[in-house]
Amino acid sequence: MSEHIETLTIRRPDDWHVHLRDGAMLGAVADFTARVFARAIVMPNLDPPVTTPEAAAAYRARILDAVPKDSGFTPLMTCYLMEDTDPEVVARGFADGAFAAVKLYPKYATTNAAYGVNDVRKVYPVLDRMQAIGMPLLLHGEVMDADVDIFDREALFVDRVLGRLLADFPALNVVLEHLTSAAAATFVRDHQTGREGRLGATITAHHLHITRNALFEDGFRPHMYCLPLAKREEDKRALRAAATSGESAFFLGTDSAPHAVDAKEADFGCAGVFTAHAALELYARAFAEEEALDRLEAFASLNGPAFYGLPPNEGRVRLVRDDTPISESIDVEGRAPVRPFFAGQPVGWRVETENGDHAQAGRTAHGGEARPSGS
Ligand code: NCD
Ligand code: ZN
């Protein structure tokens, strides 16, 4: 199925949804993102969450400390929305450049979502202000009602919550994050016109590769557990069609979400798949399988900046065929390691950056342990 293209050069991409964490974990993972991506929308779900411009600026400084000085990486910070968030604080952070966007987690939907929003109406004053100043709203799109099947949470969010939100805020720019269902992809595609604001959507690399079967392959597989959960084969096909369509609504957001192996392989194990070590490579693999490598640049490097009103990056990265396996684990200082997606297997590509010295992060010839080279 794969196209016989051996190398591909594209504009340097951006990651419009990533978890970089803090402390030792930040030190272990930040370079993977920074070596390839020029900018990243950094999720605010630390504990405690990032809710003020001051906290965002301090977190941004810790991220910049953790990446090589020559990486040319710009973190774009987000504000964690709570029911009592002050619209003035959000607006001040946006005006200062401390916040690029606001993230809405439905209460209890995912990692550190206990501070999230139970009743969307309570945050209408914030959304009103964001609409007025052109600040994007990023949505974790799942309903949390106890009677809703966990695999239907996204489709019902789109149906019950998102349509209403877009109608109530016709000029608000909204990103539906990490699409996992055909229903959500169709909704995004169908809502491109008739509104003053825009509706965009990010698609992760792992959701282009796995279905819910991956959770139960030869036993329960906690490292395939992420939220929203991977869905059926027909959903994966719809996500591949959306990502490779070239349509401007769809852009790259890895949702790379590292957790130490002991937090994943546990009762009440954490949700999150770590993909930053080979993110662009994993997208390239899916695009090659769809014979759509010519549309990877639109998805990875053009559609996102256009949505956020930013120029595309001037640098270039080169994808080269490579069958070296991904390392089995990523070291984290003083803690259990992280198990990377595709551990021990070849992805089929490697990224060469203009900063050649960071080019081999996350990969070893023997599939052993690897550390990002700059931290
Ligand atoms: C994310 C995390 O671990 O922070 N987990 C995940 O499964 N994607 C949170 C999130 O984005 O849902
Ligand atoms: Zn996420």
Side-chain angles (χ1 to χ4, degrees), residues 26-243:
L26 170 66
V29 304
D31 191 29
F32 291 116
T33 294
R35 84 175 180 91
V36 173
F37 298 100
R39 296 166 290 204
I41 286 274
V42 180
M43 288 297 121
N45 63 332
L46 305 180
D47 194 9
V50 178
T51 56
T52 65
E54 293 72 27
Y59 183 28
R60 184 176 189 279
R62 295 196 296 280
I63 294 167
L64 288 174
D65 266 352
V67 302
K69 299 296 155 264
D70 61 352
S71 65
F73 176 66
T74 304
L76 302 170
M77 311 310 291
T78 54
C79 174
Y80 188 114
L81 186 58
M82 300 195 294
E83 289 190 352
D84 62 357
T85 295
D86 180 350
E88 291 313 313
V89 171
V90 170
R92 174 166 62 84
F94 189 58
D96 288 356
F99 292 142
V102 166
K103 178 66 189 268
L104 188 158
Y105 291 101
K107 197 172 175 77
Y108 302 127
T110 187
T111 308
N112 292 340
Y115 310 91
V117 173
N118 188 34
D119 176 4
V120 179
R121 296 215 140 255
K122 295 226 169 89
V123 297
Y124 267 31
V126 181
L127 303 188
D128 207 41
R129 194 66 201 272
M130 290 166 61
Q131 174 172 256
I133 61 180
M135 185 177 192
L137 174 68
L138 316 182
L139 294 173
H140 183 111
E142 293 194 283
V143 293
M144 293 306 294
D145 313 34
D147 60 331
V148 171
D149 187 280
I150 190 166
F151 289 98
D152 296 335
R153 282 177 179 173
E154 182 176 279
L156 286 173
F157 179 89
V158 161
D159 204 45
R160 291 183 187 171
V161 183
L162 184 54
R164 176 74 181 273
L165 200 73
L166 298 181
D168 287 348
F169 297 95
L172 185 64
N173 294 328
V174 176
V175 184
L176 184 58
E177 302 277 25
H178 40 53
L179 296 188
T180 60
S181 63
T186 302
F187 183 97
V188 171
R189 190 169 270 147
D190 288 350
H191 283 74
Q192 291 313 297
T193 52
R195 289 180 72 247
E196 216 183 308
R198 282 164 297 170
L199 176 63
T202 54
I203 301 176
T204 77
H206 52 287
H207 286 112
L208 298 178
H209 289 288
I210 61 169
T211 66
R212 61 202 211 172
N213 283 4
L215 277 163
F216 308 105
E217 213 175 275
D218 300 324
F220 177 59
R221 310 294 292 272
H223 297 286
M224 297 297 166
Y225 171 49
C226 67
L227 291 169
L229 287 165
K231 306 293 190 305
R232 295 171 179 272
E233 184 62 32
E234 64 241 44
D235 297 296
K236 189 181 95 181
R237 277 205 302 271
L239 300 179
R240 283 185 167 219

Side-chain angles (χ1 to χ4, degrees), residues 17 19 43 178 255:
H17 178 137
H19 300 269
M43 288 297 121
H178 40 53
D255 193 19

